[in-house]
Amino acid sequence: MKITDIKTFLMMAGAPASVGSSSWSSRNWCFVKVYTDEGVVGIGEGSGWPRVVQTAIEDMRPILVGEDPMNIERIWQKMLVSTMGNGMTGTPGSGAMNAIDMTLWDIKGKALNTPVWNLLGGKMRDRIRAYGHAKNAERALELKEQGLTAIKTGGVHRVADQVEDIRKAVGDEIDIMVDAHGPPWYNSKDAIIVGKSLEQFNLLFYEDPVPPDNMDALRRVQDNVDIPIAAGERHSHIWGVRQLIEDEIVDVIQPDTGRIGGISQMMKIAAMAEAHYISVAPHSGSLGPIAEYAAIHVLAAIPNALILERVHDDVPVRYEVTLPHLPTVDGYIEVPNLPGLGVDIDEVVAAANPSKGNTTRAGKEGDGSYEPGTYDEHVYVQTRYSRQKHLRAPNSDS
Protein backbone atom coordinates (compact mmCIF):
# COMPACT_ATOMS: atom_id res chain seq x y z
CA MET A 1 0.00 0.00 0.00
CA LYS A 2 1.24 3.50 -0.86
CA ILE A 3 0.13 7.02 -0.02
CA THR A 4 -1.06 8.71 -3.20
CA ASP A 5 -2.60 12.01 -2.09
CA ILE A 6 -3.36 14.30 0.86
CA LYS A 7 -6.30 16.66 1.20
CA THR A 8 -6.95 19.21 3.94
CA PHE A 9 -10.26 20.70 5.10
CA LEU A 10 -10.10 23.95 7.07
CA MET A 11 -13.34 25.19 8.56
CA MET A 12 -14.52 27.91 10.89
CA ALA A 13 -15.84 26.30 14.04
CA GLY A 14 -16.53 29.29 16.27
CA ALA A 15 -19.86 31.09 16.24
CA PRO A 16 -19.99 34.89 16.32
CA ALA A 17 -19.79 36.30 19.84
CA SER A 18 -23.08 38.08 19.16
CA VAL A 19 -25.01 34.82 19.36
CA GLY A 20 -23.60 34.03 22.78
CA SER A 21 -21.47 31.07 21.77
CA SER A 22 -19.40 29.53 24.54
CA SER A 23 -16.60 28.91 22.06
CA TRP A 24 -13.96 31.20 20.64
CA SER A 25 -15.27 33.17 17.68
CA SER A 26 -11.94 32.66 15.87
CA ARG A 27 -11.70 28.91 16.42
CA ASN A 28 -10.84 26.77 13.38
CA TRP A 29 -10.62 23.04 12.78
CA CYS A 30 -8.14 21.50 10.36
CA PHE A 31 -9.04 18.04 9.12
CA VAL A 32 -6.89 15.99 6.76
CA LYS A 33 -7.48 12.92 4.63
CA VAL A 34 -4.71 10.66 3.34
CA TYR A 35 -5.51 8.56 0.26
CA THR A 36 -3.87 5.28 -0.73
CA ASP A 37 -3.53 3.25 -3.92
CA GLU A 38 -5.70 0.52 -2.40
CA GLY A 39 -8.62 2.86 -1.80
CA VAL A 40 -8.24 3.04 1.97
CA VAL A 41 -8.63 6.62 3.21
CA GLY A 42 -7.51 7.82 6.64
CA ILE A 43 -8.79 10.87 8.48
CA GLY A 44 -7.03 13.01 11.07
CA GLU A 45 -6.98 16.44 12.69
CA GLY A 46 -4.29 18.95 13.59
CA SER A 47 -4.72 21.87 15.96
CA GLY A 48 -2.54 24.39 17.75
CA TRP A 49 -2.83 26.97 14.97
CA PRO A 50 -5.01 25.29 12.32
CA ARG A 51 -4.45 27.69 9.40
CA VAL A 52 -0.70 27.35 9.86
CA VAL A 53 -1.03 23.59 10.40
CA GLN A 54 -2.75 23.33 7.02
CA THR A 55 0.25 24.96 5.32
CA ALA A 56 2.66 22.65 7.18
CA ILE A 57 0.73 19.58 6.01
CA GLU A 58 0.95 20.76 2.41
CA ASP A 59 4.69 21.35 2.87
CA MET A 60 5.17 17.75 3.99
CA ARG A 61 3.31 16.27 1.01
CA PRO A 62 6.51 15.42 -0.98
CA ILE A 63 7.97 13.36 1.87
CA LEU A 64 4.72 11.45 2.43
CA VAL A 65 3.46 10.51 -1.03
CA GLY A 66 4.82 7.08 -1.97
CA GLU A 67 5.32 5.93 1.64
CA ASP A 68 3.67 2.80 2.99
CA PRO A 69 1.11 4.15 5.53
CA MET A 70 1.40 1.00 7.61
CA ASN A 71 4.90 2.08 8.74
CA ILE A 72 3.62 4.66 11.21
CA GLU A 73 6.72 5.17 13.38
CA ARG A 74 8.98 5.34 10.33
CA ILE A 75 6.85 8.09 8.80
CA TRP A 76 6.62 9.97 12.10
CA GLN A 77 10.40 10.03 12.44
CA LYS A 78 10.75 11.11 8.82
CA MET A 79 8.38 14.05 9.40
CA LEU A 80 10.28 15.14 12.50
CA VAL A 81 13.71 15.01 10.84
CA SER A 82 12.43 16.79 7.73
CA THR A 83 11.18 19.75 9.78
CA MET A 84 13.83 20.02 12.50
CA GLY A 85 15.92 22.42 10.42
CA ASN A 86 13.17 24.99 10.94
CA GLY A 87 13.95 25.19 14.66
CA MET A 88 11.94 23.81 17.55
CA THR A 89 8.91 22.13 16.02
CA GLY A 90 6.33 23.90 18.17
CA THR A 91 2.62 23.27 18.03
CA PRO A 92 2.10 24.21 14.32
CA GLY A 93 4.65 21.64 13.15
CA SER A 94 3.54 19.16 15.78
CA GLY A 95 -0.09 19.73 14.84
CA ALA A 96 0.69 18.83 11.23
CA MET A 97 2.56 15.69 12.26
CA ASN A 98 -0.31 14.94 14.62
CA ALA A 99 -2.88 15.08 11.82
CA ILE A 100 -0.86 12.80 9.54
CA ASP A 101 -0.08 10.32 12.33
CA MET A 102 -3.79 10.10 13.16
CA THR A 103 -4.66 9.30 9.53
CA LEU A 104 -2.10 6.50 9.49
CA TRP A 105 -3.61 4.79 12.53
CA ASP A 106 -7.04 5.16 10.91
CA ILE A 107 -5.74 3.59 7.67
CA LYS A 108 -4.09 0.71 9.50
CA GLY A 109 -7.27 -0.01 11.45
CA LYS A 110 -9.39 0.04 8.31
CA ALA A 111 -6.90 -2.11 6.38
CA LEU A 112 -6.88 -4.71 9.17
CA ASN A 113 -10.62 -4.32 9.83
CA THR A 114 -10.17 -3.48 13.52
CA PRO A 115 -10.63 -0.41 15.74
CA VAL A 116 -7.58 1.71 16.56
CA TRP A 117 -7.86 0.83 20.25
CA ASN A 118 -7.23 -2.79 19.32
CA LEU A 119 -3.99 -1.81 17.59
CA LEU A 120 -2.92 0.00 20.76
CA GLY A 121 -3.03 -3.11 22.90
CA GLY A 122 -6.72 -3.84 23.22
CA LYS A 123 -9.57 -2.40 25.22
CA MET A 124 -9.20 -1.64 28.93
CA ARG A 125 -12.72 -0.20 29.20
CA ASP A 126 -15.90 0.09 27.14
CA ARG A 127 -16.71 3.70 27.98
CA ILE A 128 -14.82 6.86 28.80
CA ARG A 129 -15.82 9.26 31.54
CA ALA A 130 -16.21 12.84 30.31
CA TYR A 131 -16.58 16.21 31.98
CA GLY A 132 -18.24 19.46 30.94
CA HIS A 133 -17.65 23.16 31.61
CA ALA A 134 -19.64 25.51 33.80
CA LYS A 135 -19.01 29.15 34.70
CA ASN A 136 -21.70 29.23 37.36
CA ALA A 137 -23.96 27.06 39.51
CA GLU A 138 -26.88 27.26 37.07
CA ARG A 139 -24.85 25.78 34.22
CA ALA A 140 -23.36 23.17 36.54
CA LEU A 141 -26.87 22.03 37.48
CA GLU A 142 -27.81 21.79 33.79
CA LEU A 143 -24.83 19.50 33.17
CA LYS A 144 -25.66 17.40 36.22
CA GLU A 145 -29.23 17.00 34.94
CA GLN A 146 -27.75 15.84 31.61
CA GLY A 147 -26.04 13.03 33.52
CA LEU A 148 -22.50 14.40 33.84
CA THR A 149 -20.67 13.45 37.00
CA ALA A 150 -17.70 15.81 36.61
CA ILE A 151 -17.59 19.54 35.92
CA LYS A 152 -14.77 22.01 35.31
CA THR A 153 -14.92 25.70 36.04
CA GLY A 154 -12.25 28.36 35.70
CA GLY A 155 -11.14 31.92 35.86
CA VAL A 156 -8.84 34.03 37.99
CA HIS A 157 -11.22 36.31 39.89
CA ARG A 158 -12.19 34.95 43.33
CA VAL A 159 -12.59 31.53 41.80
CA ALA A 160 -13.09 29.94 45.24
CA ASP A 161 -16.39 31.81 45.55
CA GLN A 162 -17.40 30.37 42.18
CA VAL A 163 -16.43 26.85 43.21
CA GLU A 164 -18.27 27.18 46.51
CA ASP A 165 -21.48 28.11 44.68
CA ILE A 166 -21.09 25.17 42.31
CA ARG A 167 -20.30 22.71 45.09
CA LYS A 168 -23.39 23.78 47.06
CA ALA A 169 -25.54 23.43 43.93
CA VAL A 170 -24.37 20.03 42.66
CA GLY A 171 -23.47 18.31 45.94
CA ASP A 172 -20.52 16.19 46.96
CA GLU A 173 -21.09 13.37 44.45
CA ILE A 174 -19.91 15.51 41.51
CA ASP A 175 -16.20 15.88 40.79
CA ILE A 176 -15.11 19.49 40.29
CA MET A 177 -11.96 20.75 38.58
CA VAL A 178 -10.58 24.29 38.29
CA ASP A 179 -8.71 25.56 35.24
CA ALA A 180 -6.72 28.77 35.70
CA HIS A 181 -5.73 28.62 32.00
CA GLY A 182 -2.00 29.11 32.65
CA PRO A 183 -2.47 32.83 33.29
CA PRO A 184 0.53 35.13 32.96
CA TRP A 185 -1.13 37.29 35.59
CA TYR A 186 -0.66 34.64 38.28
CA ASN A 187 2.80 34.29 39.75
CA SER A 188 3.51 31.26 41.91
CA LYS A 189 2.50 33.09 45.12
CA ASP A 190 -0.87 34.03 43.62
CA ALA A 191 -1.43 30.49 42.39
CA ILE A 192 -0.59 29.07 45.82
CA ILE A 193 -2.98 31.47 47.58
CA VAL A 194 -5.77 30.56 45.18
CA GLY A 195 -4.93 26.86 45.39
CA LYS A 196 -5.02 26.83 49.17
CA SER A 197 -8.39 28.58 49.11
CA LEU A 198 -9.63 25.72 46.92
CA GLU A 199 -8.34 22.85 49.08
CA GLN A 200 -11.54 22.72 51.13
CA PHE A 201 -13.59 21.72 48.07
CA ASN A 202 -11.73 18.43 47.38
CA LEU A 203 -11.09 19.08 43.70
CA LEU A 204 -10.25 16.37 41.20
CA PHE A 205 -7.43 18.64 39.98
CA TYR A 206 -6.17 22.23 39.75
CA GLU A 207 -5.18 22.90 36.15
CA ASP A 208 -2.49 25.21 34.73
CA PRO A 209 -2.24 27.48 37.79
CA VAL A 210 0.79 29.28 36.30
CA PRO A 211 2.06 29.89 32.74
CA PRO A 212 3.33 26.74 31.01
CA ASP A 213 6.63 28.48 30.28
CA ASN A 214 7.63 28.37 33.97
CA MET A 215 8.01 24.82 35.28
CA ASP A 216 9.82 26.01 38.40
CA ALA A 217 6.75 28.05 39.34
CA LEU A 218 4.52 25.03 38.75
CA ARG A 219 6.78 22.95 40.97
CA ARG A 220 6.38 25.51 43.78
CA VAL A 221 2.60 25.25 43.44
CA GLN A 222 2.80 21.46 43.51
CA ASP A 223 4.86 21.56 46.69
CA ASN A 224 2.55 23.97 48.50
CA VAL A 225 -1.02 23.11 47.46
CA ASP A 226 -2.81 19.94 48.57
CA ILE A 227 -4.74 19.41 45.33
CA PRO A 228 -3.66 17.23 42.39
CA ILE A 229 -1.97 19.45 39.79
CA ALA A 230 -2.73 19.09 36.06
CA ALA A 231 -0.89 20.59 33.08
CA GLY A 232 0.55 19.84 29.65
CA GLU A 233 -2.05 20.94 27.09
CA ARG A 234 0.17 23.51 25.37
CA HIS A 235 3.21 21.29 24.95
CA SER A 236 4.10 19.11 21.99
CA HIS A 237 5.86 15.73 21.76
CA ILE A 238 7.27 13.58 24.53
CA TRP A 239 10.10 16.06 25.03
CA GLY A 240 7.70 18.90 25.82
CA VAL A 241 6.14 17.04 28.75
CA ARG A 242 9.17 15.01 29.84
CA GLN A 243 10.14 17.26 32.74
CA LEU A 244 6.55 17.50 33.99
CA ILE A 245 6.44 13.71 34.20
CA GLU A 246 9.99 12.77 35.20
CA ASP A 247 10.16 15.38 37.97
CA GLU A 248 6.59 14.52 39.02
CA ILE A 249 5.57 18.17 38.83
CA VAL A 250 2.05 17.08 37.83
CA ASP A 251 -0.36 14.44 39.06
CA VAL A 252 -2.40 14.58 35.85
CA ILE A 253 -0.85 15.05 32.40
CA GLN A 254 -3.07 16.67 29.75
CA PRO A 255 -1.68 16.21 26.23
CA ASP A 256 -3.78 17.83 23.52
CA THR A 257 -4.79 15.14 21.04
CA GLY A 258 -4.61 17.60 18.16
CA ARG A 259 -1.15 19.04 18.67
CA ILE A 260 0.88 16.64 20.80
CA GLY A 261 2.22 14.82 17.72
CA GLY A 262 -0.40 12.15 17.20
CA ILE A 263 -1.68 8.92 18.67
CA SER A 264 1.89 7.58 18.58
CA GLN A 265 3.07 10.30 20.95
CA MET A 266 -0.02 9.98 23.15
CA MET A 267 0.76 6.32 23.79
CA LYS A 268 4.41 7.05 24.63
CA ILE A 269 3.39 9.83 27.02
CA ALA A 270 0.84 7.56 28.69
CA ALA A 271 3.56 4.95 29.27
CA MET A 272 5.96 7.56 30.64
CA ALA A 273 3.23 8.80 32.98
CA GLU A 274 2.30 5.30 34.13
CA ALA A 275 5.86 4.74 35.36
CA HIS A 276 5.39 7.77 37.64
CA TYR A 277 1.82 6.96 38.77
CA ILE A 278 0.50 9.94 36.81
CA SER A 279 -2.91 9.76 35.17
CA VAL A 280 -3.87 11.00 31.70
CA ALA A 281 -6.72 13.43 31.00
CA PRO A 282 -6.44 14.71 27.42
CA HIS A 283 -7.14 18.36 26.67
CA SER A 284 -10.03 18.86 24.26
CA GLY A 285 -11.30 22.38 24.85
CA SER A 286 -10.49 23.79 21.41
CA LEU A 287 -10.39 20.54 19.45
CA GLY A 288 -12.63 19.36 16.70
CA PRO A 289 -14.44 16.02 16.79
CA ILE A 290 -11.87 13.90 14.94
CA ALA A 291 -9.12 14.50 17.49
CA GLU A 292 -11.69 13.79 20.16
CA TYR A 293 -12.24 10.34 18.62
CA ALA A 294 -8.48 9.76 18.76
CA ALA A 295 -8.45 10.63 22.46
CA ILE A 296 -11.25 8.15 23.11
CA HIS A 297 -9.32 5.34 21.42
CA VAL A 298 -6.20 6.13 23.46
CA LEU A 299 -8.12 6.34 26.75
CA ALA A 300 -9.79 3.03 25.96
CA ALA A 301 -6.41 1.30 25.64
CA ILE A 302 -4.25 2.76 28.45
CA PRO A 303 -4.40 1.73 32.13
CA ASN A 304 -3.89 5.22 33.59
CA ALA A 305 -6.78 7.01 31.88
CA LEU A 306 -8.56 9.49 34.13
CA ILE A 307 -11.18 11.46 32.21
CA LEU A 308 -11.79 13.26 28.89
CA GLU A 309 -12.47 16.96 28.55
CA ARG A 310 -15.47 17.50 26.30
CA VAL A 311 -17.13 20.70 25.12
CA HIS A 312 -20.89 20.24 25.42
CA ASP A 313 -23.46 22.31 23.50
CA ASP A 314 -20.89 24.68 22.03
CA VAL A 315 -21.70 25.09 18.31
CA PRO A 316 -24.20 23.11 16.19
CA VAL A 317 -21.62 22.56 13.44
CA ARG A 318 -19.69 20.18 15.72
CA TYR A 319 -22.60 17.76 15.54
CA GLU A 320 -23.27 18.38 11.84
CA VAL A 321 -19.75 17.79 10.51
CA THR A 322 -19.07 14.54 12.37
CA LEU A 323 -20.26 11.21 11.00
CA PRO A 324 -21.26 9.87 13.49
CA HIS A 325 -21.18 12.06 16.62
CA LEU A 326 -20.65 10.14 19.85
CA PRO A 327 -23.09 11.29 22.55
CA THR A 328 -22.33 11.59 26.25
CA VAL A 329 -24.72 9.31 28.14
CA ASP A 330 -24.84 9.36 31.94
CA GLY A 331 -21.45 11.07 31.97
CA TYR A 332 -19.72 8.53 29.71
CA ILE A 333 -18.86 8.10 26.02
CA GLU A 334 -19.14 4.64 24.50
CA VAL A 335 -15.91 3.50 22.82
CA PRO A 336 -16.51 3.02 19.06
CA ASN A 337 -16.02 -0.46 17.62
CA LEU A 338 -15.87 0.34 13.89
CA PRO A 339 -12.60 -0.23 11.99
CA GLY A 340 -10.02 2.55 12.32
CA LEU A 341 -11.15 5.60 14.25
CA GLY A 342 -14.72 4.90 13.21
CA VAL A 343 -15.48 8.46 12.09
CA ASP A 344 -15.64 10.64 8.99
CA ILE A 345 -16.55 14.24 8.23
CA ASP A 346 -19.27 15.74 6.07
CA GLU A 347 -17.15 17.58 3.52
CA VAL A 348 -20.14 19.68 2.42
CA VAL A 349 -20.58 21.02 5.95
CA ALA A 350 -16.85 21.76 6.19
CA ALA A 351 -16.90 23.66 2.88
CA ALA A 352 -19.96 25.64 3.97
CA ASN A 353 -18.04 27.05 6.95
CA PRO A 354 -14.88 28.57 5.42
CA SER A 355 -12.07 29.77 7.66
CA LYS A 356 -11.96 33.54 8.27
CA GLY A 357 -9.04 33.95 10.63
CA ASN A 358 -7.22 32.30 13.50
CA THR A 359 -6.21 34.94 16.03
CA THR A 360 -8.21 36.86 18.57
CA ARG A 361 -7.78 39.52 21.23
CA ALA A 362 -8.37 38.08 24.66
CA GLY A 363 -10.81 39.74 27.00
CA LYS A 364 -12.87 42.89 26.71
CA GLU A 365 -12.46 46.40 28.03
CA GLY A 366 -13.69 46.47 31.62
CA ASP A 367 -14.23 42.71 32.04
CA GLY A 368 -11.51 42.46 34.69
CA SER A 369 -8.98 40.64 32.52
CA TYR A 370 -6.72 43.68 32.76
CA GLU A 371 -6.23 46.38 35.36
CA PRO A 372 -8.29 49.56 34.72
CA GLY A 373 -6.69 51.67 32.02
CA THR A 374 -4.30 48.94 30.81
CA TYR A 375 -6.45 47.05 28.29
CA ASP A 376 -4.82 48.74 25.31
CA GLU A 377 -1.39 47.63 26.53
CA HIS A 378 -2.49 44.01 26.14
CA VAL A 379 0.73 42.64 27.61
CA TYR A 380 1.44 38.98 28.32
CA VAL A 381 3.04 39.45 31.75
CA GLN A 382 0.66 41.56 33.81
CA THR A 383 0.72 43.30 37.16
CA ARG A 384 -2.13 42.91 39.63
CA TYR A 385 -2.95 45.71 42.04
CA SER A 386 -6.40 44.89 43.45
CA ARG A 387 -5.39 41.66 45.14
CA GLN A 388 -8.22 41.68 47.67
CA LYS A 389 -10.64 42.02 44.78
CA HIS A 390 -9.24 39.09 42.82
CA LEU A 391 -7.85 36.67 45.41
CA ARG A 392 -9.64 34.90 48.22
CA ALA A 393 -7.65 33.99 51.30
CA PRO A 394 -7.64 30.31 52.35
CA ASN A 395 -10.83 29.29 54.22
CA SER A 396 -12.11 32.85 53.94
CA ASP A 397 -15.84 33.52 54.17
CA SER A 398 -15.50 37.02 52.77
Side-chain angles (χ1 to χ4, degrees), residues 87-332:
M88 296 292 287
T89 304
T91 53
S94 183
M97 295 169 64
N98 189 102
I100 297 298
D101 180 87
M102 202 180 295
T103 68
L104 303 181
W105 283 101
D106 190 35
I107 288 171
K108 178 169 278 193
K110 290 172 178 174
L112 298 177
N113 195 33
T114 193
V116 167
W117 54 257
N118 202 30
L119 303 176
L120 303 178
K123 191 190 288 184
M124 292 286 302
R125 53 195 63 83
D126 294 317
R127 29 177 224 163
I128 306 300
R129 192 180 183 208
Y131 66 85
H133 301 77
K135 293 183 178 180
N136 51 48
E138 291 74 21
R139 176 59 176 164
L141 278 172
E142 287 179 9
L143 294 175
K144 181 180 179 181
E145 289 169 3
Q146 292 176 20
L148 269 69
T149 60
I151 293 165
K152 188 165 77 178
T153 191
V156 295
H157 310 299
R158 297 184 71 85
V159 68
D161 296 343
Q162 190 171 307
V163 174
E164 184 173 38
D165 290 343
I166 291 174
R167 175 60 78 199
K168 288 178 179 178
V170 301
D172 292 337
E173 69 272 19
I174 301 293
D175 274 317
I176 298 177
M177 297 141 279
V178 167
D179 186 357
H181 304 292
W185 48 87
Y186 269 7
N187 57 36
S188 56
K189 291 288 180 64
D190 293 331
I192 290 167
I193 291 170
V194 171
K196 295 189 78 65
S197 74
L198 294 168
E199 289 176 348
Q200 60 189 302
F201 302 112
N202 300 316
L203 302 182
L204 188 63
F205 57 72
Y206 181 25
E207 177 180 343
D208 279 334
V210 292
D213 326 78
N214 193 343
M215 290 195 188
D216 287 337
L218 188 60
R219 183 184 288 106
R220 288 193 289 273
V221 178
Q222 172 69 282
D223 292 343
N224 287 280
V225 175
D226 291 330
I227 305 173
I229 300 299
E233 70 180 56
R234 298 189 198 174
H235 296 284
S236 59
H237 303 162
I238 54 176
W239 302 284
V241 299
R242 190 187 77 173
Q243 187 178 359
L244 290 173
I245 293 171
E246 289 183 353
D247 291 355
E248 298 183 2
I249 299 173
V250 297
D251 304 283
V252 181
I253 192 71
Q254 298 177 296
D256 182 301
T257 331
R259 60 176 173 246
I260 195 63
I263 291 172
S264 300
Q265 291 288 290
M266 288 285 291
M267 292 301 293
K268 291 179 180 181
I269 288 168
M272 291 165 62
E274 182 186 358
H276 291 268
Y277 306 96
I278 293 170
S279 56
V280 179
H283 173 255
S284 187
S286 57
L287 288 185
I290 307 304
E292 184 177 78
Y293 260 82
I296 291 168
H297 280 271
V298 170
L299 291 174
I302 63 174
N304 50 333
L306 178 64
I307 197 167
L308 175 66
E309 178 176 23
R310 191 173 216 197
V311 181
H312 292 78
D313 307 329
D314 61 337
V315 285
V317 73
R318 174 184 288 272
Y319 312 99
E320 296 166 2
V321 76
T322 319
L323 304 169
H325 175 75
L326 295 174
T328 305
V329 180
D330 296 329
Y332 287 83

Side-chain angles (χ1 to χ4, degrees), residues 6 36 79 84 247 275 328-329 364:
I6 301 167
T36 69
M79 289 191 291
M84 70 179 186
D247 291 355
T328 305
V329 180
K364 297 179 181 178

